[in-house]
Amino acid sequence: APSIIWQFLWNYFFGPYLIWKIRMIRDIYQWRLQTILAIVAGIPGTPLWLAAIYTSSFASVNKYVTPPMWFVPGLVTMELTTLIFPILQMRKHDRAVRETAQALADFDAKRLNATDTSTLASGSVITGSTGSKGRMYSMESLDECLHSNYDGLQVYASCMELNGENIIFLAKVIKFKQLWLRTFSRSTEFLRARLTMFREALSIFVGLVHSETANYPINIESPIYARLEAIFGQATALAARPQRRSTASTPISQVTPWDEPTESVDDTPAQTFPMRPMLSTMPTRALTDRESKEHIIPKNGSSTSFDPLFGYPVPTEFDAHVFDAAFKSVKYMVWTETWQRYMNWGKSSA
């Protein structure tokens, strides 16, 4: 009986609510379709089971199909959708990996032999079937997007590929390096400038890399993660401890409390990354301020109140290249997968 009650609640309350919540998702992995099929398939089970038990009209049917069997079609459909969609996605991914590897090998061979100047000059690799247009776009085109306007790419990655954290990480590391150059070129206090940049880097680590503090951590190799953990792990443990009670107007982050607004005046305006639809024809809904942008509070290390990193010794391994390995890994993954699909999607939608 408890399992019947739970299935009834899921199919008629929680399931429809989940369908309504994901109605705007248009992901390339068919996760939304998979979820809808699994929920809808279970809806007929409960009423048919009740009818088979409490109505005499099902007496002739019950000779061949016992009442609990009415749950079987829904359960089988849920199992099939859970298994078939990931298997198809794995096959599609393996095929894309092979095509990408072959395309890169052909491109390297042409570059070494210098026999196809037109392909080299175009800045892209022509493949057999990679992407909908048969073209693999160059790394330089991705670099240009990340250094200029990556809003469209971030929206695509977040809404359709569900990996927007990769784009945010790449953009933040680029800005981190730019800020490093500006900070050390202007500051005469080396130690203070170094601690300022360590705070910036720590914010990136705890917000996008650390598995226990990031909502959606990036996917990087374990040796790269271990190196970053060795540099930022102790500071993360210090910063994660609550320092003061939060209020409704000024909630305190458990991860980077120094990012929270204080009573001191900061002349640096807050940065925002707007999340807006890429096409006017895409279905949209009204977004709250929290949903529509990522708000970043400028770092303020001048006050020692509630500052867990006051007097913290910056590790000697920390430098401007601390994220280089992770950046290279994530950027290659974005280039070979997300960037190619984004460019092809943009052309097909134009």
Side-chain angles (χ1 to χ4, degrees):
S3 60
I4 302 299
I5 295 175
W6 166 245
Q7 187 175 28
F8 173 77
L9 293 176
W10 167 251
N11 287 324
Y12 286 90
F13 293 95
F14 302 116
Y17 176 73
L18 178 60
I19 293 177
W20 181 80
K21 291 286 288 184
I22 65 176
R23 69 191 186 282
M24 303 303 299
I25 294 179
R26 300 292 187 271
D27 63 296
I28 64 172
Y29 308 109
Q30 306 300 324
W31 173 82
R32 175 174 171 268
L33 176 61
Q34 175 185 347
T35 303
I36 293 176
L37 289 176
I39 294 173
V40 173
I43 291 179
T46 300
L48 289 174
W49 174 75
L50 292 173
I53 292 179
Y54 296 106
T55 61
S56 58
S57 58
F58 270 73
S60 58
V61 180
N62 290 341
K63 296 178 182 179
Y64 307 99
V65 180
T66 58
M69 291 294 292
W70 291 110
F71 292 105
V72 173
L75 295 175
V76 171
T77 302
M78 284 188 281
E79 292 293 337
L80 290 177
T81 56
T82 304
L83 294 173
I84 292 177
F85 279 86
I87 291 175
L88 294 177
Q89 188 62 38
M90 289 173 57
R91 292 173 59 89
K92 181 179 179 181
H93 175 74
D94 290 342
R95 183 171 63 253
V97 168
R98 290 193 298 269
E99 291 179 352
T100 300
Q102 183 62 43
L104 293 176
D106 293 343
F107 180 73
D108 289 338
K110 291 179 179 180
R111 182 174 58 182
L112 292 175
N113 297 330
T115 59
D116 191 346
T117 57
S118 61
T119 299
L120 296 178
S122 64
S124 59
V125 184
I126 306 300
T127 68
S129 59
T130 301
S132 61
K133 299 297 182 182
R135 176 180 296 274
M136 187 168 184
Y137 297 90
S138 66
M139 182 78 77
E140 289 75 14
S141 61
L142 174 60
D143 287 330
E144 182 179 355
C145 176
L146 292 173
H147 283 83
S148 56
N149 183 8
Y150 59 90
D151 285 353
L153 177 60
Q154 181 181 329
V155 172
Y156 172 85
S158 301
C159 297
M160 300 189 69
E161 300 211 357
L162 311 181
N163 59 3
E165 67 277 1
N166 292 334
I167 311 303
I168 298 175
F169 173 77
L170 295 178
K172 285 199 172 190
V173 172
I174 291 174
K175 292 185 177 181
F176 166 77
K177 287 197 169 186
Q178 294 172 348
L179 182 60
W180 181 285
L181 296 176
R182 293 196 304 267
T183 301
F184 282 92
S185 63
R186 299 175 183 175
S187 177
T188 58
E189 300 181 21
F190 176 80
L191 294 180
R192 183 172 181 177
R194 185 171 170 79
L195 180 57
T196 298
M197 293 311 305
F198 183 78
R199 292 174 185 272
E200 292 284 346
L202 182 60
S203 294
I204 298 176
F205 177 77
V206 298
L208 293 167
V209 181
H210 195 240
S211 59
E212 296 181 5
T213 58
N215 290 329
Y216 303 99
I218 59 174
N219 184 19
I220 54 178
E221 294 85 344
S222 56
I224 299 176
Y225 180 87
R227 180 177 178 272
L228 293 175
E229 173 70 20
I231 297 175
F232 298 108
Q234 185 178 359
T236 301
L238 291 174
R241 294 185 299 190
Q243 299 297 317
R244 62 185 173 97
R245 190 180 298 273
S246 62
T247 62
S249 60
T250 58
I252 302 305
S253 170
Q254 301 298 320
V255 177
T256 54
W258 63 83
D259 282 351
E260 302 303 329
T262 63
E263 296 179 358
S264 61
V265 178
D266 194 322
D267 295 330
T268 306
Q271 303 176 42
T272 58
F273 295 99
M275 294 285 289
R276 45 181 175 271
M278 297 169 60
L279 295 176
S280 58
T281 57
M282 290 180 63
T284 59
R285 64 184 177 92
L287 299 178
T288 64
D289 184 67
R290 179 171 303 207
E291 293 173 315
S292 63
K293 64 179 67 174
E294 176 193 4
H295 191 71
I296 301 177
I297 305 298
K299 307 298 179 294
N300 185 357
S302 59
S303 174
T304 61
S305 300
F306 313 113
D307 184 1
L309 295 183
F310 176 70
Y312 180 81
V314 178
T316 56
E317 299 86 357
F318 174 72
D319 56 19
H321 305 285
V322 64
F323 290 116
D324 280 6
F327 183 87
K328 181 179 180 181
S329 175
V330 174
K331 182 181 175 182
Y332 182 81
M333 179 171 57
V334 170
W335 172 58
T336 56
E337 299 180 13
T338 304
W339 180 245
Q340 308 304 322
R341 290 191 287 261
Y342 168 68
M343 294 295 289
N344 290 324
W345 178 85
K347 285 184 175 295
S348 62
S349 302

